[in-house]
Amino acid sequence: MEPYEHTTQRRPWVVGVSGASGTPYAASVLRGLLAAGEDVDLVVSRASRLTLLDETGIAFRDAHWREDLRGWLALGADGKPQTFEVDLARVRYWPAGDLAAGPSSGSYAVKGMLIVPASTACVAGVALGLSKDLLQRVASVTLKERRRLVVAVRETPLSGQTLKQLVALDEAGAVVLPASPAFYAGATHIQDLVDFVAGRVLDAAGVPHQLYRRWKGELGAARSPVSD
């Protein structure tokens, strides 16, 4: 038998975007992953397309996903176009209805999955182990394979049932990360608040970034000018 030939294998992070409000969070996480040199597999749910259209005016289309994604990631959190430049060479897109997609199998090599933002419907589906679409299927696979799953839930207030489902996800090994911006990092713009949440998502995934100013134990340091 011929020996197995080992090759360098692509191991992406799967980013799932559900229908909750908060598409700027997803855009910031995607930019952060790409800036860190990470490969990305992207899944955009059907419900999230409506949210994206409402929040950005961008109609995300399967046949033109690269063009639409580039326009989305170029937007600032304030909606200003051409705020960012991105290289999409490391991105692979999978339609939400494609249950035969690569990440639907545990044998498909990935580092883990980040759901940003995560709606309560998405939380319920993942907690119950449903696979109504590719996003939920990949989340179930991520848990069963004991890979890192970060769920950035974006909803308020939270019902008792959703709280129970979040506890179930925590017990299953997921990181439950509410999309809660903080102000100690010296935010002066809406983008700073968005980037703080995105940075915490990347922290949970172990991906290096410079999206926010970290706490160093010095009161008032966030109001000081950033030194080079």
Side-chain angles (χ1 to χ4, degrees):
M1 178 182 292
E2 291 292 331
Y4 179 77
E5 182 179 352
H6 292 277
T7 57
T8 302
Q9 190 174 40
R10 180 180 181 272
R11 292 188 66 236
W13 285 97
V14 180
V15 176
V17 186
S18 80
S21 176
T23 55
Y25 292 131
S28 184
V29 166
L30 287 165
R31 289 192 298 264
L33 288 170
L34 296 175
E38 298 285 347
D39 291 316
V40 173
D41 277 21
L42 178 63
V43 181
V44 179
S45 75
R46 292 184 180 277
S48 69
R49 296 176 189 227
L50 294 176
T51 306
L52 184 63
L53 180 62
D54 183 53
E55 294 184 347
T56 69
I58 294 174
F60 198 90
R61 303 159 293 177
D62 287 344
H64 303 279
W65 70 267
R66 193 175 294 275
E67 173 188 346
D68 298 335
L69 180 60
R70 182 174 287 107
W72 175 22
L73 298 191
L75 288 175
D78 57 1
K80 183 179 179 180
Q82 307 304 320
T83 299
F84 300 98
E85 292 185 8
V86 291
D87 182 355
L88 303 182
R90 290 182 174 270
V91 181
R92 180 178 293 174
Y93 171 72
W94 301 97
D98 185 5
L99 292 179
S104 67
S105 171
S107 65
Y108 184 85
V110 302
K111 293 183 177 180
M113 183 180 192
L114 315 175
I115 305 179
V116 189
S119 65
T120 53
C122 174
V123 166
V126 176
L128 293 173
L130 303 181
S131 296
K132 75 168 189 176
D133 61 8
L134 182 59
L135 193 157
Q136 290 185 7
R137 170 60 185 169
V138 177
S140 294
V141 169
T142 302
L143 289 175
K144 81 178 183 68
E145 296 293 330
R146 301 296 190 267
R147 295 166 180 160
R148 180 58 57 95
L149 174 63
V150 181
V151 181
V153 60
R154 215 306 306 161
E155 190 74 55
T156 190
L158 296 173
S159 70
Q161 189 60 43
T162 297
L163 291 171
K164 292 176 183 177
Q165 291 159 351
L166 291 172
V167 170
L169 289 179
D170 176 78
E171 292 175 343
V175 176
V176 176
L177 195 153
S180 302
F183 296 86
Y184 66 79
T188 58
H189 191 275
I190 185 174
Q191 188 67 55
D192 298 326
L193 298 175
V194 168
D195 286 347
F196 179 87
V197 172
R200 296 299 287 153
V201 171
L202 295 180
D203 286 345
V207 176
H209 65 86
Q210 295 182 340
L211 287 176
Y212 68 87
R213 188 187 303 196
R214 297 184 181 278
W215 173 251
K216 296 183 178 179
E218 301 175 9
L219 293 177
R223 295 190 297 275
S224 303
V226 178
S227 58
D228 295 331

